[in-house]
Amino acid sequence: MRDLRAVVAGIKGTVKFHAPLRDYTSFKIGGPADVLVEPADVEDVCRLARQATAAKVPIFVIGGTNLLVRDKGIRGVVVSLSRLRAIRDEPHHVVYAEGGVGMPTLIGHAIRRSLSGLEWAAGIPGTVAGCVVMNAGTRLGDMQSAVKAVRIVDPKGRIVECPASRIEFSYRRAKLPKGIVVGVWLQLKPGSRQEIERVVKDYLRYRKDTQPLTLPSAGCVFKNPGKEPAGKLIEAAGLKGMRIGDAQVSEKHGNFIVNCGRARAADVLALIKKVGREVERRTGVTLELELKVVGEA
Ligand code: EPU
């Protein structure tokens, strides 16, 4: 604990010891962080990175949406970038967004500026930094297509700028230099506000019609394995509605697990295992997790 106090010494932002991470995840599941920090600004992130490296304490950055935190939580420091929310317009249709900016806010900004290039992300609830780190995407597009460069705080607390050409993007993955993504430059293009708005609205309606957006979840559980989407395979295996504790395979979309009340991470993991096994037994397809599982069981 003394180490942790040294790691957070001088931080201007919010510092909470034993913070329950269910309050920071869209799944509303997860044990405590030893210490949770919401840095006030990038300078705070630099200080935290420097002090954590010196004390050899791990840092985990929590976006919170495509994530399952196990029931005993996360050791060390958990960082939420929720206070890094600035958006800045730059020349040549480039928008700079701090890491904690939510995708819905960013899309709203792009619409107001008649900038196209993020419509594919309509309805993705995550932060822009989280979306870069996992190369978030839908069938309309992905983060790779919009990122121009990222700003990273490295483990020594230095600010590094990394152009997209140095990021290795693949399906739902991005290999970035080690550190914390505190900002992203997006290369957008001028478009018709009406048309951008129409695409976004249509897409939001589609998601509302096909996904269980009113219950806590972590979005899609599995990556789409190939031609047949995971949700379709799960439905064909008759697994919709299957429940362990308060974790349930959504009746609306097979690739969602919803938290019907007080689901524990252990319930979700047991359900994931069952679904994976059953789909494999029936179809021979091995499903791979899209959501990230972290923390101690
Ligand atoms: N389908 C079924 N049964 C189901 C679910 C889907 O038969 O229970 C069928 C649908 O009828 C459709 C096809 O499967 O023909 C594809 O379904 P959908 O359009 O819902 O897309 P998806 O491939 O399941 C992807 C993304 C979603 C994103 C949607 C909409 C992945 C793993 N998922 O889902 O992203 O919202 O497209 O664009 O790529 C996420 O990443 O967290 C996420 C939810």
Side-chain angles (χ1 to χ4, degrees), residues 66 137-139 171-172 203 206-207 210-211 218-220 222-224 229 231-232 235 240 252-256 290:
N66 214 233
T138 62
R139 73 194 138 76
Y171 176 62
R172 301 295 173 269
Y203 215 40
Y206 176 75
R207 291 175 75 117
T210 58
Q211 300 180 358
C220 283
F222 298 102
K223 293 179 182 174
N224 278 338
K232 199 169 173 185
E235 174 164 344
K240 276 179 152 178
K252 204 164 176 182
H253 194 298
N255 201 8
F256 278 68
E290 168 163 309

Side-chain angles (χ1 to χ4, degrees), residues 86-101:
I87 302 180
R88 200 171 62 224
D89 293 305
E90 296 200 353
H92 310 298
H93 317 297
V94 172
V95 172
Y96 177 76
E98 285 192 314
V101 171

Side-chain angles (χ1 to χ4, degrees), residues 48-246:
L48 189 65
R50 214 167 39 239
Q51 294 177 171
T53 300
K56 296 194 170 64
V57 169
I59 290 186
F60 177 77
V61 184
I62 193 163
T65 53
N66 214 233
L67 185 73
L68 176 63
V69 178
R70 293 194 185 92
D71 298 309
K72 294 235 167 84
I74 300 180
R75 303 292 70 82
V77 181
V78 175
V79 177
S80 161
L81 298 178
S82 54
R83 292 175 66 172
L84 298 191
R85 289 191 175 209
I87 302 180
R88 200 171 62 224
D89 293 305
E90 296 200 353
H92 310 298
H93 317 297
V94 172
V95 172
Y96 177 76
E98 285 192 314
V101 171
M103 285 309 275
T105 308
L106 190 56
I107 291 171
H109 182 91
I111 290 175
R112 285 191 297 280
R113 300 287 187 284
S114 301
L115 291 172
S116 166
L118 292 173
E119 296 88 318
W120 59 269
I124 291 187
T127 62
V128 66
C131 284
V132 171
V133 170
M134 63 163 298
N135 190 19
T138 62
R139 73 194 138 76
L140 288 192
D142 60 17
M143 208 59 194
Q144 173 177 12
S145 60
V147 174
K148 183 168 186 275
V150 297
R151 174 173 280 161
I152 294 173
V153 170
D154 79 4
K156 289 192 172 153
R158 296 171 304 201
I159 296 172
V160 183
E161 273 155 31
C162 174
S165 57
R166 280 186 43 217
I167 306 173
E168 262 178 63
F169 286 105
S170 52
Y171 176 62
R172 301 295 173 269
R173 281 185 74 165
K175 218 168 144 198
L176 289 143
K178 213 165 180 290
I180 300 172
V181 175
V182 291
V184 183
W185 283 271
L186 299 141
Q187 179 65 64
L188 305 177
K189 47 188 182 301
S192 132
R193 174 171 178 160
Q194 228 180 354
E195 179 57 15
I196 300 166
E197 235 169 351
R198 187 191 61 77
V199 176
V200 167
K201 275 198 181 136
D202 281 357
Y203 215 40
L204 286 177
R205 193 173 315 115
Y206 176 75
R207 291 175 75 117
K208 212 172 140 203
D209 289 346
T210 58
Q211 300 180 358
L213 302 183
T214 53
L215 285 170
S217 82
C220 283
V221 175
F222 298 102
K223 293 179 182 174
N224 278 338
K227 267 198 195 131
E228 296 286 339
K232 199 169 173 185
L233 293 172
I234 292 163
E235 174 164 344
L239 301 170
K240 276 179 152 178
M242 181 189 269
R243 188 164 171 153
I244 296 182
D246 271 348

